[in-house]
Amino acid sequence: MELSSVIGVSNWWSDVDNSATWQDVLSYSLSALYGLVGAVALTQLIRIEYRVPEFGWTTQKVFHLLNFLLNAVRSIIFALRRDVQQIKPEVFQHVLLDLPGLAFFTTYVLLVLFWAEIYYQARAMPTDWLRPAFYTINAVIYFIQIALWFLLWWSPIHPMLVLCKLFFAGVSMFGAFGFLLYGGRLFLMLQHFPVESKGRNKKIKEVVYVTTICFGCFSIRCIMMCFNAFDIAADLDVMDHPVLNFFYYLLVEIIPSTLVLFLLRKLPSRQVGPLSPPLH
């Protein structure tokens, strides 16, 4: 009975993969979901701007803006997924599919930067180096990725494609480590606050939830990109793996984004506080 069930699921998965109708349905479903998440991020950005327009571009505002942009781009790409698959040379397909993934890394590592600033400020340690470090790390990552795309364009061989995917896996692992490091540090620091401190327990839960969600999604992306690099059955850049694509993007971007936006839905107070530094 169990064996027949497994065979049935395997046959269903294969039928869906080979069905142009299901390929389109799942691509349009991803497009709609990304559009919905992007709309939520834009709505939250407008609400924050309306509440505290005098704050300028805070980390919170930039986070929601980047969330809106990357989800809007993903929505458009999946709405036009079949056309994207026809683009030549093939390297441009990888650019369109992978660049929003790098933008996702930048967007959510902003939270790591935010937590690091809180942590070092609370310990009366200098924070001037944090933002230059954030910009430098991102600049280096984008420079290497663009260089790899140029090399793939110049020499479109499989080992070069594997190298691109492994680099993306390494970036994801770096993101997971950042959340584990500074989420853990902030959690331990908050644990030492007096129990009666206002908002202590709520902030601890928020840090734990966001750390768990983001560490999980970056870890899953890292693992999947490694499989993607060496196993053709795990290829995420083709139309004929719609089920795998659907669950992959659902787990590494859509669900994490939705949960984090929900957890960080609270609007800032009208008075400038130390936990909302402007983004200079």
Side-chain angles (χ1 to χ4, degrees):
M1 183 65 179
E2 292 182 1
L3 180 59
S4 61
S5 298
V6 172
I7 294 174
V9 171
S10 177
N11 290 336
W12 172 84
W13 189 298
S14 179
D15 291 341
V16 171
D17 280 350
N18 294 320
S19 169
T21 301
W22 272 107
Q23 291 170 8
D24 290 338
V25 166
L26 292 176
S27 291
Y28 292 144
S29 297
L30 285 173
S31 175
L33 289 171
Y34 274 113
L36 182 60
V37 176
V40 171
L42 180 60
T43 301
Q44 187 69 349
L45 174 62
I46 294 171
R47 291 178 67 212
I48 296 170
E49 179 62 25
Y50 178 76
R51 185 178 180 89
V52 286
E54 69 277 7
F55 277 19
W57 282 101
T58 62
T59 303
Q60 188 181 27
K61 288 181 183 179
V62 174
F63 172 76
H64 284 92
L65 175 63
L66 291 177
N67 246 310
F68 162 67
L69 292 175
L70 78 89
N71 281 285
V73 170
R74 280 285 196 209
S75 179
I76 294 170
I77 288 173
F78 278 106
L80 304 173
R81 185 66 181 87
R82 195 166 291 280
D83 295 322
V84 170
Q85 192 71 29
Q86 305 303 319
I87 294 176
K88 300 296 180 183
E90 189 176 324
V91 65
F92 291 111
Q93 297 179 28
H94 297 294
V95 173
L96 288 173
L97 293 171
D98 293 344
L99 189 57
L102 286 179
F104 184 89
F105 169 84
T106 299
T107 302
Y108 282 84
V109 170
L110 261 178
L111 295 178
V112 177
L113 171 65
F114 184 63
W115 287 352
E117 288 177 331
I118 295 173
Y119 176 79
Y120 288 118
Q121 285 174 1
R123 292 184 170 273
M125 299 171 67
T127 60
D128 295 344
W129 62 276
L130 288 172
R131 289 181 183 272
F134 172 80
Y135 298 138
T136 301
I137 289 170
N138 275 274
V140 169
I141 288 173
Y142 281 85
F143 176 80
I144 294 175
Q145 182 63 78
I146 292 171
L148 288 173
W149 283 330
F150 271 108
L151 289 173
L152 183 61
W153 188 9
W154 178 63
S155 180
I157 57 177
H158 184 67
M160 187 57 64
L161 183 59
V162 169
L163 184 60
C164 288
K165 295 179 185 298
L166 291 179
F167 175 74
F168 203 27
V171 170
S172 300
M173 183 173 64
F174 183 71
F177 174 74
F179 274 100
L180 197 61
L181 177 63
Y182 282 102
R185 285 183 171 181
L186 197 56
F187 170 78
L188 292 175
M189 184 184 75
L190 292 170
Q191 285 281 71
H192 287 88
F193 280 20
V195 177
E196 62 273 12
S197 297
K198 183 180 179 180
R200 170 186 177 273
N201 292 335
K202 184 178 180 181
K203 182 58 67 175
I204 287 176
K205 288 181 180 179
E206 179 184 296
V207 169
V208 169
Y209 291 155
V210 173
T211 299
T212 302
I213 292 165
C214 293
F215 175 78
C217 76
F218 280 111
S219 297
I220 292 172
R221 189 192 289 275
C222 175
I223 293 169
M224 282 302 302
M225 291 307 297
C226 290
F227 277 110
N228 188 10
F230 297 106
D231 187 354
I232 193 172
D235 194 349
L236 297 165
D237 299 332
V238 292
M239 280 292 294
D240 55 3
H241 289 161
V243 180
L244 181 63
N245 272 275
F246 182 80
F247 284 107
Y248 169 74
Y249 286 106
L250 200 66
L251 289 174
V252 302
E253 290 187 0
I254 295 173
I255 291 178
S257 295
T258 303
L259 293 175
V260 171
L261 287 172
F262 175 76
L263 289 168
L264 304 181
R265 68 191 182 280
K266 183 180 178 182
L267 295 177
S269 60
R270 292 188 182 275
Q271 293 184 352
V272 178
L275 301 189
S276 289
L279 188 70
H280 296 299

